[in-house]
Amino acid sequence: MTRYIVRRLLLLPLVVLGVTFLLFLLTQRLSPEMRASLYIKDPRQMGAMEEVITKYGLRDHVFKQYGRWLGSALKGDLGYSHSANMPVATAIKEYLPATVQLALVTIVLVLFFGVWLGTLSAVKKDKWQDVLARFVSVGGFSLPIFVLGLLLLMLFYGKLGWFPPGGYSVMTDVTIHGPNFHAYTGFLLIDALLNGNLRVFLDVLRHLLLPAFTLCIGSFALMVRVMRSSMLEELGKDYVRTARAKGLPERAVIYRHAGKNAIIPVITLASIQFIRLLGGTVIVETIFDYPGIGRFGVTAAQQLDIAGIMGFSLMVAVLFVLGNLLSDILYTAVDPRIKLSE
């Protein structure tokens, strides 16, 4: 197991190099003057464009330019993001916690409803519960997430006024930036509890629930289908029939035996979905004006913020490799019979 993890971690730099170099090649389609503007923080420097190009070697060979960028990235310097008006590393540090909160709440909802409804659908195969579960699954999977998000926003905020967009209210903004509020972790839900401020906690949660529910509908639909298919396969195997023949309670047969094996492919799907959420739920964060890393990524792309795009892509590449490694490790935790190759 240890050797396997080490091998996978050693592949991480290769994946990051590949992704970032391909993106870097795409940025070379822009002229040196366009790329030079990314290094200019003061409009008065626009007259010294050629000096900036020479200073940063923007006419050098692409490998030489990439080497300089990589060297700076290894030191933690990912450049300056004009779209966020701050260094890229600072922007990631500021926006990522909000997306992590959203992803955690979403994946908990997805796992709970997906596993429960998928199991119910398999156990009640061809009955009304199964038909209803499949209808909900297909409907949720087919409905475009931006349509669902807009409908929920119009209903629960536009009509009912329950769940407003954004990350938190103005009053909460004043509180968390005040002298009496301490940011222990960077995650507002946790920090609010650590500060003993229930009002901030409930306000952040209120702004979080609607985008999380929107993401949950699109994600849990696929989870239901995978869990149902996997559970049906397990329920038809000999060990399940043997367990029933021994007189074990049906609940124990379903959840302790069949369910434990059926959930293995769900772990793979859940880990991929979670990393995808961490990579930035661009559409949902844009619809609900949620201050997460996805909105930062799309803003950087819209404004041709190369430094922001490269930093965002680097973060996503690292997250996907680590997420896939985590899912492999979880296999053995759920089913010890599965051994990772040494």
Side-chain angles (χ1 to χ4, degrees), residues 168-212:
Y168 39 77
S169 66
V170 176
M171 186 172 293
T172 295
D173 183 53
V174 173
T175 301
I176 64 177
H177 292 98
N180 298 323
F181 191 91
H182 302 285
Y184 296 103
T185 65
F187 302 101
L188 281 179
L189 286 176
I190 299 176
D191 287 343
L193 292 177
L194 293 176
N195 281 271
N197 196 321
L198 187 60
R199 185 191 61 78
V200 170
F201 175 83
L202 293 176
D203 183 63
V204 173
L205 187 63
R206 180 171 170 240
H207 285 77
L208 186 66
L209 283 178
L210 204 56

Coordinates of all heavy atoms in Angstrom, one line a residue, residues 168-212:
Y168 N -22.8 35.7 2.1 CA -23.4 36.1 3.4 C -23.9 37.5 3.3 O -23.7 38.2 2.3 CB -22.3 36.0 4.5 CG -20.9 36.5 4.0 CD1 -20.6 37.9 3.9 CD2 -19.9 35.6 3.7 CE1 -19.4 38.3 3.5 CE2 -18.7 36.0 3.3 CZ -18.4 37.4 3.2 OH -17.2 37.8 2.7
S169 N -24.6 37.9 4.3 CA -25.3 39.2 4.3 C -24.3 40.3 4.7 O -23.2 40.1 5.1 CB -26.4 39.2 5.3 OG -25.9 39.1 6.7
V170 N -24.7 41.6 4.5 CA -23.9 42.7 4.8 C -23.5 42.8 6.3 O -22.4 43.1 6.7 CB -24.6 44.0 4.4 CG1 -23.8 45.2 4.8 CG2 -24.9 44.0 2.9
M171 N -24.5 42.4 7.1 CA -24.2 42.4 8.6 C -23.2 41.4 9.0 O -22.3 41.7 9.8 CB -25.5 42.2 9.3 CG -25.4 42.3 10.8 SD -27.0 42.2 11.7 CE -27.8 43.7 11.1
T172 N -23.2 40.2 8.3 CA -22.2 39.2 8.6 C -20.9 39.7 8.1 O -19.8 39.4 8.7 CB -22.6 37.9 7.9 OG1 -23.8 37.4 8.5 CG2 -21.5 36.9 8.0
D173 N -20.9 40.4 6.9 CA -19.6 40.9 6.4 C -18.9 41.8 7.4 O -17.7 41.8 7.6 CB -19.9 41.6 5.0 CG -18.6 42.1 4.4 OD1 -17.7 41.3 4.2 OD2 -18.6 43.3 4.0
V174 N -19.7 42.7 8.0 CA -19.2 43.6 9.0 C -18.7 42.9 10.2 O -17.6 43.2 10.7 CB -20.3 44.6 9.4 CG1 -19.8 45.5 10.6 CG2 -20.7 45.5 8.2
T175 N -19.4 41.8 10.6 CA -19.0 41.1 11.8 C -17.7 40.3 11.5 O -16.8 40.4 12.4 CB -20.1 40.1 12.1 OG1 -21.3 40.8 12.4 CG2 -19.7 39.3 13.4
I176 N -17.6 39.6 10.4 CA -16.4 38.7 10.2 C -15.1 39.6 9.9 O -14.0 39.1 10.1 CB -16.6 37.7 9.1 CG1 -16.8 38.4 7.7 CG2 -17.8 36.8 9.4 CD1 -17.0 37.5 6.5
H177 N -15.3 40.8 9.5 CA -14.2 41.7 9.3 C -13.9 42.6 10.5 O -13.1 43.5 10.4 CB -14.3 42.5 8.0 CG -14.2 41.6 6.8 ND1 -15.4 41.2 6.1 CD2 -13.2 41.1 6.1 CE1 -15.0 40.5 5.0 NE2 -13.7 40.4 5.0
G178 N -14.7 42.4 11.5 CA -14.5 43.2 12.7 C -13.4 42.7 13.6 O -12.9 41.6 13.5
P179 N -13.1 43.5 14.7 CA -12.0 43.1 15.5 C -12.3 41.9 16.5 O -11.4 41.3 17.0 CB -11.7 44.4 16.3 CG -13.0 45.1 16.3 CD -13.7 44.8 15.0
N180 N -13.5 41.7 16.7 CA -13.9 40.6 17.7 C -14.1 39.2 17.0 O -14.4 38.3 17.7 CB -15.2 41.0 18.4 CG -15.0 42.3 19.2 OD1 -13.9 42.5 19.8 ND2 -16.0 43.2 19.2
F181 N -14.0 39.1 15.7 CA -14.2 37.9 15.0 C -12.8 37.3 14.6 O -12.1 38.0 13.9 CB -15.1 38.0 13.8 CG -15.6 36.7 13.2 CD1 -16.7 36.1 13.7 CD2 -14.8 36.1 12.2 CE1 -17.2 34.9 13.1 CE2 -15.3 34.9 11.7 CZ -16.4 34.3 12.1
H182 N -12.5 36.1 15.0 CA -11.2 35.6 14.7 C -11.4 34.4 13.6 O -12.2 33.5 13.8 CB -10.5 35.0 15.9 CG -10.3 36.0 17.0 ND1 -9.3 37.0 16.9 CD2 -11.0 36.2 18.2 CE1 -9.4 37.7 18.0 NE2 -10.4 37.3 18.8
A183 N -10.6 34.5 12.5 CA -10.6 33.5 11.5 C -9.6 32.4 11.8 O -8.5 32.5 11.4 CB -10.3 34.2 10.1
Y184 N -10.1 31.4 12.5 CA -9.2 30.3 12.9 C -8.9 29.4 11.8 O -7.7 28.9 11.7 CB -9.9 29.5 14.1 CG -10.1 30.3 15.3 CD1 -11.4 30.8 15.7 CD2 -9.1 30.6 16.2 CE1 -11.6 31.5 16.8 CE2 -9.3 31.3 17.4 CZ -10.6 31.8 17.7 OH -10.8 32.5 18.8
T185 N -9.9 29.1 10.9 CA -9.6 28.1 9.9 C -9.8 28.6 8.5 O -9.3 28.0 7.5 CB -10.6 26.9 10.1 OG1 -12.0 27.4 9.9 CG2 -10.5 26.3 11.5
G186 N -10.5 29.7 8.3 CA -10.8 30.2 7.0 C -12.2 29.8 6.5 O -12.7 30.3 5.5
F187 N -12.8 28.7 7.2 CA -14.1 28.2 6.8 C -15.1 28.9 7.7 O -15.1 28.7 8.9 CB -14.1 26.7 7.0 CG -13.1 26.0 6.2 CD1 -12.0 25.5 6.7 CD2 -13.4 25.8 4.8 CE1 -11.0 24.8 5.9 CE2 -12.4 25.1 4.0 CZ -11.3 24.7 4.6
L188 N -16.0 29.7 7.1 CA -16.9 30.6 7.9 C -17.8 29.8 8.8 O -18.1 30.2 10.0 CB -17.7 31.5 7.0 CG -17.0 32.7 6.4 CD1 -17.9 33.5 5.5 CD2 -16.5 33.6 7.6
L189 N -18.3 28.6 8.4 CA -19.2 27.8 9.2 C -18.5 27.4 10.5 O -19.0 27.5 11.6 CB -19.7 26.6 8.4 CG -20.8 26.9 7.4 CD1 -21.1 25.6 6.6 CD2 -22.0 27.5 8.0
I190 N -17.3 26.9 10.3 CA -16.5 26.5 11.5 C -16.1 27.6 12.4 O -16.2 27.6 13.6 CB -15.3 25.6 11.0 CG1 -15.7 24.4 10.3 CG2 -14.4 25.2 12.2 CD1 -14.6 23.6 9.7
D191 N -15.6 28.7 11.7 CA -15.1 29.9 12.5 C -16.2 30.5 13.3 O -16.0 31.0 14.4 CB -14.5 30.9 11.5 CG -13.1 30.4 11.0 OD1 -12.5 29.5 11.6 OD2 -12.7 31.0 10.0
A192 N -17.5 30.5 12.7 CA -18.6 31.1 13.4 C -18.9 30.3 14.7 O -19.2 30.9 15.7 CB -19.8 31.1 12.5
L193 N -18.8 29.0 14.6 CA -19.0 28.2 15.8 C -17.9 28.4 16.8 O -18.1 28.4 18.0 CB -19.1 26.7 15.4 CG -20.3 26.3 14.6 CD1 -20.3 24.8 14.2 CD2 -21.6 26.6 15.3
L194 N -16.6 28.5 16.3 CA -15.5 28.6 17.2 C -15.6 30.0 17.9 O -15.1 30.2 19.0 CB -14.2 28.5 16.5 CG -13.9 27.1 15.9 CD1 -12.6 27.1 15.1 CD2 -13.8 26.1 17.1
N195 N -16.2 31.0 17.2 CA -16.3 32.3 17.8 C -17.6 32.4 18.7 O -17.9 33.4 19.3 CB -16.4 33.4 16.7 CG -15.0 33.7 16.2 OD1 -14.3 34.6 16.7 ND2 -14.5 33.0 15.2
G196 N -18.4 31.3 18.7 CA -19.6 31.3 19.4 C -20.7 32.2 18.8 O -21.6 32.7 19.6
N197 N -20.6 32.5 17.5 CA -21.6 33.4 16.9 C -22.6 32.6 16.1 O -22.3 32.3 14.9 CB -20.8 34.4 16.0 CG -21.7 35.6 15.6 OD1 -22.8 35.5 15.3 ND2 -21.0 36.8 15.6
L198 N -23.7 32.3 16.7 CA -24.7 31.4 16.0 C -25.4 32.2 14.8 O -25.8 31.6 13.8 CB -25.7 31.0 17.0 CG -26.8 30.0 16.5 CD1 -26.1 28.7 16.0 CD2 -27.8 29.7 17.6
R199 N -25.5 33.5 15.0 CA -26.1 34.3 13.9 C -25.3 34.2 12.6 O -25.9 34.1 11.5 CB -26.3 35.8 14.4 CG -27.0 36.6 13.4 CD -26.9 38.1 13.7 NE -25.5 38.6 13.7 CZ -24.9 38.9 12.5 NH1 -25.5 38.7 11.4 NH2 -23.6 39.3 12.5
V200 N -24.0 34.4 12.7 CA -23.2 34.3 11.5 C -23.3 32.9 10.9 O -23.3 32.7 9.7 CB -21.7 34.6 11.9 CG1 -20.8 34.3 10.7 CG2 -21.6 36.1 12.2
F201 N -23.2 31.8 11.8 CA -23.3 30.5 11.3 C -24.6 30.2 10.5 O -24.6 29.7 9.4 CB -23.3 29.5 12.5 CG -23.5 28.1 12.1 CD1 -22.4 27.3 11.7 CD2 -24.7 27.5 12.2 CE1 -22.6 26.0 11.3 CE2 -24.9 26.1 11.9 CZ -23.8 25.4 11.4
L202 N -25.7 30.7 11.1 CA -27.0 30.5 10.4 C -27.1 31.3 9.1 O -27.7 30.8 8.1 CB -28.2 30.8 11.4 CG -28.3 29.9 12.6 CD1 -29.4 30.4 13.5 CD2 -28.6 28.5 12.1
D203 N -26.5 32.5 9.1 CA -26.6 33.3 7.9 C -25.8 32.7 6.8 O -26.2 32.7 5.6 CB -26.1 34.7 8.3 CG -26.1 35.7 7.1 OD1 -27.3 35.9 6.6 OD2 -25.1 36.1 6.6
V204 N -24.6 32.2 7.1 CA -23.7 31.6 6.1 C -24.4 30.3 5.6 O -24.4 30.0 4.4 CB -22.3 31.2 6.6 CG1 -21.5 30.4 5.6 CG2 -21.6 32.5 7.0
L205 N -25.0 29.5 6.5 CA -25.7 28.3 6.1 C -26.9 28.6 5.2 O -27.2 27.9 4.3 CB -26.1 27.5 7.3 CG -26.7 26.1 7.1 CD1 -25.7 25.2 6.5 CD2 -27.2 25.6 8.4
R206 N -27.6 29.7 5.5 CA -28.8 30.1 4.8 C -28.4 30.5 3.3 O -29.1 30.1 2.4 CB -29.4 31.3 5.4 CG -30.6 31.9 4.8 CD -31.3 32.9 5.7 NE -32.3 33.7 5.0 CZ -32.3 35.0 4.8 NH1 -31.3 35.7 5.3 NH2 -33.3 35.6 4.2
H207 N -27.2 31.1 3.1 CA -26.8 31.4 1.8 C -26.2 30.2 1.1 O -26.1 30.2 -0.2 CB -25.7 32.5 1.9 CG -26.2 33.9 2.2 ND1 -26.6 34.3 3.4 CD2 -26.4 35.0 1.3 CE1 -27.0 35.5 3.4 NE2 -27.0 36.0 2.1
L208 N -25.8 29.2 1.8 CA -25.1 28.0 1.3 C -26.1 26.9 0.8 O -25.8 26.2 -0.2 CB -24.2 27.4 2.3 CG -23.3 26.3 2.0 CD1 -22.2 26.7 1.0 CD2 -22.6 25.7 3.2
L209 N -27.3 26.8 1.4 CA -28.2 25.7 1.2 C -28.7 25.6 -0.2 O -28.8 24.6 -0.8 CB -29.3 25.7 2.2 CG -29.0 25.3 3.6 CD1 -30.2 25.4 4.5 CD2 -28.5 23.8 3.6
L210 N -29.1 26.7 -0.8 CA -29.7 26.7 -2.1 C -28.7 26.3 -3.2 O -29.1 25.4 -4.0 CB -30.3 28.1 -2.5 CG -31.5 28.0 -3.5 CD1 -32.6 27.1 -3.1 CD2 -32.1 29.4 -3.7
P211 N -27.5 26.9 -3.3 CA -26.6 26.3 -4.3 C -26.2 24.9 -4.0 O -26.0 24.1 -5.0 CB -25.4 27.3 -4.1 CG -25.5 28.0 -2.9 CD -27.0 28.1 -2.6
A212 N -26.1 24.5 -2.7 CA -25.8 23.1 -2.4 C -26.9 22.2 -2.9 O -26.6 21.1 -3.4 CB -25.5 22.9 -0.9

